[in-house]
Amino acid sequence: PDDYTHFISIPFTYSKFVERLNIFKKKILLDFEDSLEANFVDFTRTHLTVLMLSLPTKEKQDKAIQALEKINDKIQAILSKGPIALIVQHLECFSSIQDNKGKHDRAASRLIYAKINARDADYLRFTEIVNAIVTQFLDDNIIGKRELSTIQYNNTTKKYELKHPHLTLMRGRDNKTIDARKIIESFGYFDFGRQRIQNIDISARGQFDKDNYFQALHRVNLSK
């Protein structure tokens, strides 16, 4: 059952980046059809998810806040080498149907996403932050095996990292899938640009702030 109440998010909602998202959306709607309009997510909530969290009580919420506070010095040490800006480029999809090699069926996509470039030097530094978060939340028994479904342990670097770092752009609605074949064929190499990460939030699901982003239970400011 999906009883997640919160998630750790990296907002990608800064004006120049959202501008690129809207350019992409306009191109899609021009080349295809306006019927796809409803499939786009609200770009004022664009984010990279690090972990899903089940924090139903104030005690658990406080524990999660404390876990992030414990690793603040580690995070600031990683940032002492300079700000981290992630490259967002190219499209792919997730589908409930996969072939024997694990390739997702583009004809029946649940969602279409923009990929984060995982080979970039800044992304490798970002992975150090992800590793610090996952390790601390495991140590403090805030997450377990279920929450690690989107995380993998890299035996070479000895660090936890995201399996598929991505930003969701479009979703299937009303249990219907999207045929992403022509979209990815036409716009698969779209470049959304480089976005500096400025905050790490513990975000509340279904609750929104004055800017329409997910309400922050706690926010770590990375742009000091």
Side-chain angles (χ1 to χ4, degrees), residues 35-54:
S35 61
L36 287 173
E37 172 97 43
N39 295 108
F40 281 92
V41 300
D42 186 338
F43 290 151
T44 60
R45 298 177 194 155
T46 308
H47 63 278
L48 172 60
T49 300
V50 177
L51 277 175
M52 298 302 296
L53 301 170
S54 179

Side-chain angles (χ1 to χ4, degrees), residues 85-90 115-127 152 154 161-163 165 194:
L86 301 181
I87 296 170
V88 185
Q89 56 187 186
H90 306 167
K115 297 198 281 190
I116 308 284
N117 186 327
R119 294 179 180 174
D120 180 61
D122 273 16
Y123 181 80
L124 298 179
R125 289 171 57 224
F126 173 68
T127 288
Q152 61 192 9
N154 187 318
E161 58 190 28
L162 297 174
K163 278 183 188 173
R194 186 185 277 272

Side-chain angles (χ1 to χ4, degrees), residues 61-77:
Q61 290 169 20
D62 288 345
K63 201 173 177 184
I65 293 168
Q66 287 160 15
L68 269 190
E69 287 175 341
K70 282 180 195 173
I71 59 171
N72 189 56
D73 287 350
K74 281 183 184 174
I75 292 171
Q76 298 307 328

Side-chain angles (χ1 to χ4, degrees), residues 6-73:
H6 295 77
F7 59 102
I8 295 181
S9 78
I10 311 291
F12 275 74
T13 54
Y14 311 107
S15 56
K16 282 190 178 177
F17 189 77
V18 173
E19 217 172 272
R20 291 291 294 160
L21 293 174
N22 281 318
I23 288 169
F24 167 75
K25 180 178 177 178
K26 281 177 188 167
K27 284 178 179 288
I28 294 284
L29 296 180
L30 268 174
D31 277 31
F32 293 92
E33 49 189 292
D34 285 343
S35 61
L36 287 173
E37 172 97 43
N39 295 108
F40 281 92
V41 300
D42 186 338
F43 290 151
T44 60
R45 298 177 194 155
T46 308
H47 63 278
L48 172 60
T49 300
V50 177
L51 277 175
M52 298 302 296
L53 301 170
S54 179
L55 309 172
T57 64
K58 187 177 185 302
E59 183 186 0
K60 289 197 172 183
Q61 290 169 20
D62 288 345
K63 201 173 177 184
I65 293 168
Q66 287 160 15
L68 269 190
E69 287 175 341
K70 282 180 195 173
I71 59 171
N72 189 56
D73 287 350

Side-chain angles (χ1 to χ4, degrees), residues 131-149:
N131 180 65
I133 293 169
V134 174
T135 302
Q136 191 64 56
F137 276 63
L138 280 170
D139 288 350
D140 290 354
N141 294 314
I142 299 166
I143 59 169
K145 191 175 181 181
R146 182 177 67 142
E147 287 78 12
L148 293 179
S149 62

